[in-house]
Amino acid sequence: MPAIAIKPGIYWIGVNDRTTDLFEGMWPIQREGVSYNSYLVLDEKKALIDLASGRQEAPYLQQILDLINPAELDYIVLNHMEPDHTGAARLLYHLAPNAQFLVTAKGKPMLEAFYGITERVRVVGDGEVVSLGQKALQFFAVPFVHWPETMVTYEPTTGVLFSCDAFGGYGALVGAIFDDEYPDMDFYIRESLRYYVNIVARFSGPVLNAIAKLGGLPISVVAPSHGLIWRKNPMHIVQLYREWATLASEPGKPGVTLIYGSMYGNTEVMMNAVAAGVAHAGVPLAIFDAARTHVSYILPSVWVHKGVLIGAPTYEVSLFPPVAQALGMIAHKRVMNKKAAYFGSYGWSRGAARECLEITAKLNWQWQEPLEFNGAPTTEDLHRGEAFGEAFARSLLEA
Ligand code: FEO
């Protein structure tokens, strides 16, 4: 897409990425894509704010060239050093020989480590203002949103906040870049939540700190480095991020995420009985086959709902590995304070229920009594499963 003016003298020059399969090398975005939003602020001095992935260097450079010769740049602001925003740094270093790289103190050694850049690097402090002429750039440290060196940049005369990862989302931009033009907001909110839980959620405390810190600024536009730019209702995405970050210390709303796996169908038969029980209680239910669903898509449901049901057979005295791997990532992301229960089949040994407790030992999860059965479930087992699911779901409705 061509450059788009956000405010007079401030341009979006981002690029869509629809060819990278895995964000951060692990989170699937084949269907959704992602955008790397970069911005140009043109005044007496000219500043570039955040860059793009090195894999998108060619289209990104064209975006810059459509507006200016990079040799005219005075500043290159790197809010955050992760290579999805800095991959083009070495290229810009050579094409913009008059530009200073503006980074935080913790960003400076990262710029050297990732790109070998040590010259023309200027450390900016928390709250520092750099004048561009009529416009200015003010920097605010927001450590761990998403890395320790991260800052955001604010342009005070227009109220544009360049927030980098904060308030971003997956999803290549579909023609429009603004919230008031976007054709499918449900898709975008869903992908923002998936991005939040995959990438940022472990740092929810710093997210809340950043929102509090930036709360006093008159913000007219939230311009993150991924996804939509919020100009009609800039506080909408801030409020969503606040809600999602708050869930790090709360159990979530009534609802069940049922994560299951089945080797020969016996646990799957039981899973359907348990699901019927949950349905009888009228509680929302999302079912994921862990062997066939990337955990990226499971995490958002676990994050926002209070209940987790794990259905899996015992496999070599342990939890069925695809389910164990999903649960392991849930533990890695520190999804805390859930109510949980295990059900599943065992053959010659139990062990799955024990491993559920081990994997989630540091998460403060309340585990209810497991439902285990030997081999294939009998009709009586299935009735027990239905009652098990209903009782579990009803317990989520209790205060
Ligand atoms: Fe979009 Fe933490 O990089």
Side-chain angles (χ1 to χ4, degrees):
M1 290 191 285
I4 297 172
I6 296 175
K7 294 278 186 181
I10 300 179
Y11 298 88
W12 170 90
I13 53 162
V15 288
N16 273 329
D17 184 349
R18 297 182 186 277
T19 53
T20 295
D21 291 337
L22 300 172
F23 192 76
E24 288 191 339
M26 62 183 293
W27 306 109
I29 54 169
Q30 294 99 325
R31 287 176 295 176
E32 302 85 3
V34 71
S35 74
Y36 311 116
N37 298 338
S38 175
Y39 302 94
L40 260 177
V41 183
L42 303 182
D43 200 349
E44 293 164 29
K45 302 275 189 183
K46 297 174 176 52
L48 191 56
I49 300 176
D50 291 327
L51 309 178
S53 164
R55 292 173 180 164
Q56 298 292 318
E57 265 183 357
Y60 175 61
L61 181 60
Q62 190 58 51
Q63 291 281 74
I64 298 173
L65 290 169
D66 282 348
L67 289 178
I68 62 163
N69 179 339
E72 299 174 43
L73 285 168
D74 299 283
Y75 300 114
I76 296 172
V77 177
L78 299 180
N79 281 318
H80 171 33
M81 286 305 307
E82 192 163 7
D84 53 328
H85 308 288
T86 57
R90 199 176 286 125
L91 176 70
L92 265 297
Y93 180 80
H94 294 293
L95 294 179
N98 302 311
Q100 285 185 316
F101 284 84
L102 305 186
V103 297
T104 60
K106 288 187 175 172
K108 185 177 180 183
M110 290 184 181
L111 188 55
E112 179 176 4
F114 279 95
Y115 303 106
I117 296 174
T118 57
E119 303 289 322
R120 293 187 275 126
V121 181
R122 172 175 161 188
V123 169
V124 292
D126 189 20
E128 184 173 338
V129 177
V130 170
S131 175
L132 301 179
Q134 301 301 311
K135 292 183 171 61
L137 301 178
Q138 187 170 19
F139 308 100
F140 294 97
V142 290
F144 288 103
V145 189
H146 150 228
W147 283 2
E149 88 298 357
T150 310
M151 64 179 183
V152 297
T153 299
Y154 178 67
E155 202 295 299
T157 68
T158 56
V160 177
L161 178 71
F162 304 98
S163 60
C164 202
D165 275 353
F167 315 128
Y170 293 137
L173 294 166
V174 186
I177 67 167
F178 295 112
D179 57 337
D180 52 289
E181 296 178 333
Y182 209 71
D184 186 354
M185 194 56 84
D186 288 346
F187 163 83
Y188 189 73
I189 299 295
R190 187 172 68 246
E191 286 306 310
S192 294
L193 173 61
R194 187 166 72 94
Y195 171 84
Y196 182 85
V197 182
N198 289 182
I199 309 297
V200 188
R202 183 159 169 161
F203 309 106
S204 288
V207 169
L208 292 173
N209 291 340
I211 291 172
K213 181 173 186 171
L214 303 171
L217 294 175
I219 296 170
S220 67
V221 176
V222 172
S225 292
H226 299 296
L228 277 187
I229 296 168
W230 301 77
R231 67 176 180 186
K232 182 182 179 189
N233 187 358
M235 288 303 106
H236 186 187
I237 191 66
V238 176
Q239 180 57 25
L240 286 171
Y241 260 61
R242 183 186 282 115
E243 288 172 15
W244 297 335
T246 302
L247 287 168
S249 55
E250 294 180 356
K253 59 188 178 184
V256 176
T257 306
L258 196 166
I259 305 167
Y260 83 99
S262 190
M263 295 168 67
Y264 296 105
N266 293 314
T267 297
E268 185 170 23
V269 169
M270 177 59 82
M271 181 275 291
N272 283 309
V274 171
V278 174
H280 294 333
V283 170
L285 170 67
I287 299 173
F288 298 97
D289 179 343
R292 294 175 177 81
T293 310
H294 194 286
V295 69
S296 172
Y297 296 96
I298 301 173
L299 278 165
S301 179
V302 180
W303 188 257
V304 301
H305 295 115
K306 191 187 290 187
V308 180
L309 283 170
I310 299 294
T314 290
Y315 182 92
E316 296 174 353
V317 203
S318 300
L319 183 61
F320 185 52
V323 175
Q325 287 158 12
L327 207 50
M329 182 56 78
I330 289 165
H332 179 86
K333 292 296 178 184
R334 294 184 187 160
V335 184
M336 305 289 293
N337 306 319
K338 301 298 175 185
K339 191 171 267 193
Y342 162 83
F343 64 89
S345 169
Y346 65 93
W348 48 268
S349 168
R350 303 189 197 213
R354 184 206 69 243
E355 195 176 352
C356 286
L357 298 179
E358 290 172 359
I359 294 171
T360 58
K362 296 179 179 175
L363 303 181
N364 191 36
W365 284 22
Q366 294 175 40
W367 283 93
Q368 299 193 352
E369 279 299 306
L371 173 63
E372 296 176 283
F373 53 94
N374 194 203
T378 63
T379 300
E380 185 184 345
D381 287 333
L382 295 176
H383 287 311
R384 282 200 299 140
E386 203 169 330
F388 169 87
E390 182 168 349
F392 178 80
R394 290 197 187 284
S395 76
L396 303 177
L397 300 173
E398 297 166 0

